Amino acid sequence: MKRFDVKRFARLVSEVAVLLAIYFLGCQIAAWWHLPIPGGVIGMALLLSAFALGLIKPATLQLGAGVLMAEMLLFFIPALMSLLDYGALVRNDGWRILLVIGVSTLLVMVVTAFTVEAVCRWRSRHEV
């Protein structure tokens, strides 16, 4: 069994706190400016901007992001449980729902790939 490491735990808590602060800032910006974009998306854009500008190094948030990614299923359990209330909807229109989920997932992956590629090319041109 692993020994409890206070420094590692403190780092984890501080990294998750920074990620949550960026998320809440994105939510506040969306509320203040009445944007139709979710606060989480704005928070991710803020985080990407901070990475691109060098204000935050990705390695500094790696532990907290890793823990959140490892426990991501817990964030989706309430959504899955709500499907039990809408069994008829899933039986009748389930294929449409799956099609939308599949296409949107594919679009997110493609846009992410192109964004990462563009940022890598931009970064390699400006590092000289």
Side-chain angles (χ1 to χ4, degrees):
M1 190 168 162
K2 282 186 158 181
R3 185 177 65 89
F4 183 74
D5 188 6
V6 175
K7 282 185 180 181
R8 180 176 161 86
F9 182 73
R11 181 175 174 201
L12 172 67
V13 170
S14 65
E15 289 180 18
V16 170
V18 168
L19 291 169
L20 283 173
I22 293 170
Y23 166 74
F24 286 128
L25 179 62
C27 290
Q28 281 301 119
I29 290 171
W32 287 334
W33 294 346
H34 306 288
L35 298 174
I37 302 169
V41 174
I42 295 171
M44 286 179 57
L46 291 172
L47 185 61
L48 178 64
S49 300
F51 287 159
L53 295 173
L55 300 174
I56 301 174
K57 296 201 183 314
T60 59
L61 299 176
Q62 189 171 8
L63 181 63
V67 168
L68 290 176
M69 291 293 288
E71 304 303 328
M72 187 177 272
L73 180 62
L74 293 176
F75 299 119
F76 292 106
I77 287 176
L80 293 176
M81 295 306 290
S82 68
L83 286 178
L84 297 176
D85 295 335
Y86 299 101
L89 175 70
V90 174
R91 279 190 296 278
N92 295 332
D93 296 324
W95 69 272
R96 289 184 187 129
I97 295 169
L98 289 176
L99 179 67
V100 168
I101 291 170
V103 169
S104 62
T105 300
L106 182 64
L107 285 174
V108 167
M109 292 170 76
V110 168
V111 169
T112 301
F114 281 119
T115 303
V116 168
E117 183 69 25
V119 169
C120 288
R121 286 184 183 183
W122 177 82
R123 189 172 179 190
S124 68
R125 276 185 275 157
H126 289 87
E127 282 184 351
V128 176

